[in-house]
Amino acid sequence: MRKRTLNHIRGCLAGGAVGDALGAPVEFMSLKEIRDQFGPDGISEYAPAYGRKGAITDDTQMTLFTAEGLILSRVRADKKISTSLVEFVYQAYLRWLSTQEQTEKDHMIQQYGVCTMVDGILITRPELFSIRAPGNSCLSALKSGHMGTVETPANSSKGCGGVMRIAPVGYFLPPDQVFDAACAIAAITHGHPTGYLTAGCLAQIISGVSHGATLPEAIRYAVQMLKTKSGHEETLAAIQAALRALKTAPVSPETVETLGAGWIAEEALAIGLYSALASGGDFGKGLRLAVNHSGDSDSTGAITGNLLGAVLGLEAIPEKYLTGLELLDTIEELAEDLFNRMADGGKQPGAEQ
Ligand SMILES: [Mg+2]
């Protein structure tokens, strides 16, 4: 069954944000510290982070800007402007960068009001002008004034900042264009092959699921694509470790920790895939696995939430997680815009369910 419906896109984007928000309070805590504070089962309800419960972080901020860059590329393409899709996303990331510079808030919002001089709606949302532990690779690459590419890398970073923001690409383009476009978009800020090939994999997996593949089938196809790319060995080994752990170890936080901590891209992807596969189709279970470990809990939560939302749709997300999720209205707005601008026409009869 095709899952290129508004319901599934909302599930993917909101699911990622829910995972981000659940993981945010424990991002910098060890598994022992998490259990000491939240009990033996770890965190399973929103807890305060950044001054509120249900706070999203840089992972969701940047995912929204990825979506906005893609959407605007199509708006302008309709008007026959030749700037590439990747450059539109780069411009969107520069707008995100301006949200991280407190002085820019005054410039953008107070000077221009409802801003018509800067592309996009996100830059007009005061809630996005908030610093939520952004990654150094993202900040420094975007401040450099040069757009990183696969051919001319911005740096040698393989932090998870490239993969954790890439999910919208899986919906936006035809399947044969997804992998390379996702790599190019991640390479804007992450120049190590593992930093962008992991993004290619995640976007390709979401694309596969949206076209009716099961999650294991979509992973197999993405791995086939990955194997054709130069520098793929690390990413491949991490995916294989996640699949092996499913077969050989009990489903537990300790098993998650054998896959790494998720600060680097291949570990974040491995934990995301493992948690989604081990969830048995239970969104809450998958998310608890994804965030209760001694690592980058919000990013691994975001990746797992993207995957499970894409597979299960919005209705699989427990209401307690949607209630109180920061910026849910903006997330849903972007999901609808993305749906309406998908390459194969989200508005085709029968595409909505
Ligand atoms: Mg984060």
Side-chain angles (χ1 to χ4, degrees), residues 221-266:
Y221 182 70
V223 165
Q224 281 179 22
M225 296 279 292
L226 173 67
K227 286 179 175 174
T228 68
K229 309 295 181 187
S230 150
H232 67 266
E233 291 78 6
E234 230 169 33
T235 302
L236 179 63
I239 295 172
Q240 288 172 335
L243 299 177
R244 200 164 47 242
L246 274 170
K247 291 184 181 159
T248 59
V251 175
S252 71
E254 284 73 16
T255 301
V256 171
E257 296 214 317
T258 67
L259 301 173
W263 302 109
I264 49 177
E266 75 272 34

Coordinates of all heavy atoms in Angstrom, one line a residue, residues 221-266:
Y221 N 16.7 -2.0 -0.1 CA 16.9 -1.3 -1.4 C 17.9 -0.1 -1.1 O 18.8 0.1 -2.0 CB 15.6 -0.7 -1.9 CG 15.8 0.0 -3.2 CD1 16.1 -0.7 -4.4 CD2 15.7 1.4 -3.2 CE1 16.3 0.0 -5.6 CE2 15.9 2.1 -4.4 CZ 16.2 1.4 -5.6 OH 16.4 2.1 -6.7
A222 N 17.8 0.6 0.0 CA 18.7 1.7 0.3 C 20.1 1.2 0.4 O 21.1 1.8 0.0 CB 18.3 2.4 1.6
V223 N 20.3 0.0 1.0 CA 21.6 -0.6 1.1 C 22.2 -0.9 -0.3 O 23.4 -0.7 -0.5 CB 21.6 -1.8 2.0 CG1 22.9 -2.7 1.9 CG2 21.4 -1.4 3.5
Q224 N 21.4 -1.4 -1.2 CA 21.9 -1.6 -2.5 C 22.4 -0.3 -3.1 O 23.4 -0.3 -3.8 CB 20.7 -2.1 -3.4 CG 20.4 -3.6 -3.3 CD 19.2 -4.0 -4.2 OE1 18.9 -3.3 -5.1 NE2 18.6 -5.1 -3.8
M225 N 21.6 0.8 -3.0 CA 22.1 2.1 -3.5 C 23.4 2.5 -2.8 O 24.3 3.0 -3.5 CB 21.0 3.1 -3.2 CG 19.7 2.9 -3.9 SD 19.7 3.5 -5.6 CE 19.9 5.3 -5.3
L226 N 23.4 2.3 -1.5 CA 24.6 2.8 -0.7 C 25.8 2.1 -1.2 O 26.9 2.7 -1.3 CB 24.3 2.4 0.8 CG 25.5 2.6 1.7 CD1 25.9 4.1 1.9 CD2 25.2 2.0 3.1
K227 N 25.7 0.8 -1.5 CA 26.9 0.0 -1.9 C 27.6 0.5 -3.2 O 28.7 0.2 -3.5 CB 26.6 -1.5 -2.1 CG 26.4 -2.2 -0.7 CD 26.0 -3.6 -1.0 CE 25.9 -4.4 0.3 NZ 25.4 -5.8 0.1
T228 N 26.8 1.3 -4.0 CA 27.3 1.8 -5.3 C 28.1 3.1 -5.0 O 28.7 3.7 -6.0 CB 26.2 2.1 -6.3 OG1 25.4 3.2 -5.8 CG2 25.3 0.9 -6.5
K229 N 28.1 3.7 -3.8 CA 28.7 5.0 -3.5 C 30.1 4.9 -2.9 O 30.3 4.0 -2.1 CB 27.8 5.8 -2.6 CG 26.3 5.9 -3.0 CD 26.2 6.6 -4.3 CE 24.7 6.7 -4.7 NZ 24.4 7.3 -6.0
S230 N 31.0 5.7 -3.3 CA 32.3 5.8 -2.8 C 32.3 6.2 -1.3 O 31.6 7.1 -0.9 CB 33.1 6.7 -3.6 OG 34.1 7.3 -2.9
G231 N 33.1 5.4 -0.5 CA 33.2 5.8 0.9 C 32.0 5.2 1.8 O 31.7 5.7 2.9
H232 N 31.4 4.2 1.3 CA 30.1 3.7 2.0 C 30.4 2.7 3.1 O 29.4 2.4 3.8 CB 29.2 3.0 0.9 CG 29.8 1.7 0.4 ND1 30.5 1.6 -0.7 CD2 29.8 0.4 0.9 CE1 30.9 0.3 -0.9 NE2 30.5 -0.4 0.1
E233 N 31.6 2.3 3.3 CA 31.9 1.1 4.2 C 31.4 1.3 5.6 O 30.8 0.4 6.2 CB 33.4 0.8 4.2 CG 33.9 0.2 2.8 CD 34.1 1.2 1.8 OE1 34.0 2.5 2.1 OE2 34.4 0.9 0.6
E234 N 31.7 2.5 6.2 CA 31.3 2.8 7.6 C 29.8 2.7 7.8 O 29.2 2.2 8.7 CB 31.8 4.2 7.9 CG 32.6 4.3 9.2 CD 33.2 5.6 9.3 OE1 32.7 6.6 8.8 OE2 34.3 5.6 9.8
T235 N 29.1 3.4 6.8 CA 27.6 3.4 6.9 C 27.0 2.0 6.8 O 26.1 1.6 7.5 CB 27.1 4.4 5.8 OG1 27.6 5.7 6.0 CG2 25.5 4.5 5.9
L236 N 27.6 1.3 5.8 CA 27.1 -0.1 5.6 C 27.3 -0.9 6.9 O 26.4 -1.7 7.3 CB 27.8 -0.7 4.4 CG 27.5 -2.2 4.1 CD1 26.0 -2.3 3.7 CD2 28.3 -2.7 3.0
A237 N 28.5 -0.8 7.5 CA 28.8 -1.6 8.7 C 27.8 -1.3 9.8 O 27.4 -2.2 10.6 CB 30.2 -1.4 9.1
A238 N 27.5 0.0 9.9 CA 26.6 0.4 11.0 C 25.2 -0.1 10.8 O 24.5 -0.6 11.7 CB 26.5 1.9 11.1
I239 N 24.7 -0.1 9.5 CA 23.4 -0.7 9.2 C 23.4 -2.2 9.5 O 22.4 -2.7 10.1 CB 23.0 -0.3 7.8 CG1 22.8 1.2 7.6 CG2 21.7 -1.1 7.4 CD1 22.6 1.6 6.1
Q240 N 24.4 -2.8 9.1 CA 24.5 -4.3 9.3 C 24.5 -4.6 10.8 O 24.0 -5.6 11.2 CB 25.7 -4.8 8.6 CG 25.5 -4.8 7.1 CD 26.8 -5.2 6.3 OE1 27.9 -5.0 6.8 NE2 26.6 -5.7 5.1
A241 N 25.2 -3.8 11.6 CA 25.2 -4.0 13.0 C 23.8 -3.9 13.6 O 23.5 -4.7 14.5 CB 26.2 -3.0 13.7
A242 N 23.1 -2.9 13.1 CA 21.7 -2.8 13.7 C 20.9 -4.0 13.3 O 20.1 -4.5 14.1 CB 21.1 -1.5 13.1
L243 N 21.0 -4.5 12.1 CA 20.2 -5.6 11.7 C 20.6 -6.9 12.4 O 19.8 -7.7 12.8 CB 20.3 -5.8 10.1 CG 19.8 -4.7 9.3 CD1 20.1 -4.9 7.8 CD2 18.4 -4.4 9.5
R244 N 21.9 -7.0 12.7 CA 22.4 -8.2 13.4 C 22.0 -8.1 14.9 O 21.6 -9.2 15.4 CB 24.0 -8.1 13.3 CG 24.6 -9.5 13.6 CD 26.1 -9.5 13.2 NE 26.8 -8.3 13.6 CZ 27.4 -7.4 12.8 NH1 27.3 -7.5 11.5 NH2 28.0 -6.3 13.2
A245 N 21.9 -7.0 15.5 CA 21.5 -6.8 16.8 C 20.1 -7.3 17.0 O 19.7 -7.9 18.0 CB 21.7 -5.4 17.3
L246 N 19.3 -7.0 16.0 CA 17.8 -7.5 16.1 C 17.7 -9.0 16.2 O 16.8 -9.5 16.8 CB 17.1 -7.0 14.8 CG 16.5 -5.6 14.7 CD1 16.1 -5.4 13.3 CD2 15.4 -5.5 15.7
K247 N 18.6 -9.7 15.5 CA 18.6 -11.1 15.5 C 19.3 -11.8 16.6 O 19.0 -12.9 17.0 CB 19.2 -11.6 14.2 CG 18.4 -11.3 12.9 CD 19.0 -11.9 11.7 CE 18.2 -11.5 10.5 NZ 19.0 -11.6 9.2
T248 N 20.2 -11.1 17.2 CA 21.1 -11.8 18.1 C 21.0 -11.4 19.6 O 21.7 -12.0 20.4 CB 22.6 -11.7 17.7 OG1 22.9 -10.3 17.7 CG2 22.8 -12.3 16.3
A249 N 20.3 -10.3 19.9 CA 20.3 -9.8 21.2 C 18.9 -9.4 21.6 O 18.0 -9.1 20.8 CB 21.2 -8.6 21.3
P250 N 18.6 -9.5 22.9 CA 17.3 -9.0 23.4 C 17.1 -7.6 23.1 O 18.0 -6.8 23.0 CB 17.3 -9.3 24.9 CG 18.8 -9.4 25.3 CD 19.5 -9.8 24.1
V251 N 15.8 -7.2 22.9 CA 15.4 -5.8 22.7 C 15.6 -5.0 24.0 O 14.8 -5.3 24.9 CB 14.0 -5.7 22.1 CG1 13.6 -4.2 22.0 CG2 13.9 -6.4 20.7
S252 N 16.6 -4.2 24.1 CA 16.8 -3.5 25.4 C 17.7 -2.3 25.1 O 18.4 -2.2 24.1 CB 17.6 -4.5 26.3 OG 18.9 -4.6 25.9
P253 N 17.7 -1.4 26.1 CA 18.6 -0.2 26.0 C 20.1 -0.6 25.9 O 20.9 0.0 25.3 CB 18.3 0.6 27.3 CG 16.9 0.2 27.7 CD 16.8 -1.2 27.3
E254 N 20.4 -1.7 26.6 CA 21.8 -2.2 26.6 C 22.2 -2.6 25.1 O 23.3 -2.3 24.7 CB 22.0 -3.4 27.5 CG 22.1 -3.0 29.0 CD 20.7 -2.6 29.6 OE1 19.7 -2.9 29.0 OE2 20.8 -2.0 30.7
T255 N 21.2 -3.2 24.4 CA 21.5 -3.5 23.0 C 21.7 -2.3 22.2 O 22.6 -2.2 21.3 CB 20.4 -4.4 22.5 OG1 20.3 -5.6 23.3 CG2 20.7 -4.8 21.0
V256 N 20.8 -1.3 22.4 CA 20.9 0.0 21.7 C 22.3 0.6 21.9 O 23.0 1.0 21.0 CB 19.9 1.0 22.2 CG1 20.2 2.4 21.6 CG2 18.5 0.5 21.8
E257 N 22.8 0.5 23.1 CA 24.1 1.1 23.4 C 25.3 0.3 22.7 O 26.4 0.9 22.5 CB 24.4 1.1 24.9 CG 23.4 2.0 25.6 CD 23.9 2.7 26.8 OE1 24.7 2.1 27.6 OE2 23.7 3.9 27.0
T258 N 25.1 -0.9 22.3 CA 26.1 -1.6 21.5 C 26.3 -1.0 20.1 O 27.3 -1.2 19.5 CB 25.9 -3.1 21.3 OG1 24.7 -3.2 20.5 CG2 25.7 -3.8 22.7
L259 N 25.3 -0.2 19.7 CA 25.3 0.4 18.4 C 26.0 1.8 18.4 O 26.2 2.4 17.3 CB 23.9 0.6 17.8 CG 23.1 -0.8 17.7 CD1 21.7 -0.5 17.3 CD2 23.8 -1.7 16.7
G260 N 26.3 2.3 19.6 CA 27.0 3.6 19.7 C 26.2 4.6 20.4 O 25.2 4.2 21.1
A261 N 26.5 5.8 20.3 CA 25.8 6.9 21.1 C 25.0 7.8 20.2 O 24.2 8.6 20.7 CB 26.8 7.7 21.9
G262 N 25.3 7.8 18.9 CA 24.4 8.6 18.0 C 24.9 10.0 17.7 O 24.3 10.7 16.9
W263 N 26.0 10.4 18.3 CA 26.5 11.7 18.0 C 27.0 11.8 16.6 O 27.0 12.8 15.9 CB 27.7 12.1 18.9 CG 27.3 12.1 20.4 CD1 27.7 11.2 21.3 CD2 26.4 13.0 21.1 NE1 27.1 11.5 22.5 CE2 26.3 12.6 22.4 CE3 25.7 14.1 20.6 CZ2 25.6 13.3 23.3 CZ3 24.9 14.8 21.6 CH2 24.9 14.4 22.9
I264 N 27.6 10.6 16.1 CA 28.1 10.6 14.7 C 27.0 9.9 13.9 O 26.2 9.1 14.4 CB 29.4 9.9 14.6 CG1 29.5 8.5 15.4 CG2 30.5 10.8 15.1 CD1 30.8 7.8 15.2
A265 N 27.0 10.2 12.6 CA 25.9 9.9 11.7 C 25.6 8.4 11.6 O 24.4 8.0 11.6 CB 26.2 10.5 10.3
E266 N 26.6 7.6 11.4 CA 26.3 6.2 11.2 C 25.7 5.5 12.4 O 24.9 4.6 12.3 CB 27.5 5.4 10.7 CG 28.6 5.1 11.7 CD 29.6 6.1 11.9 OE1 29.3 7.3 11.7 OE2 30.8 5.8 12.2

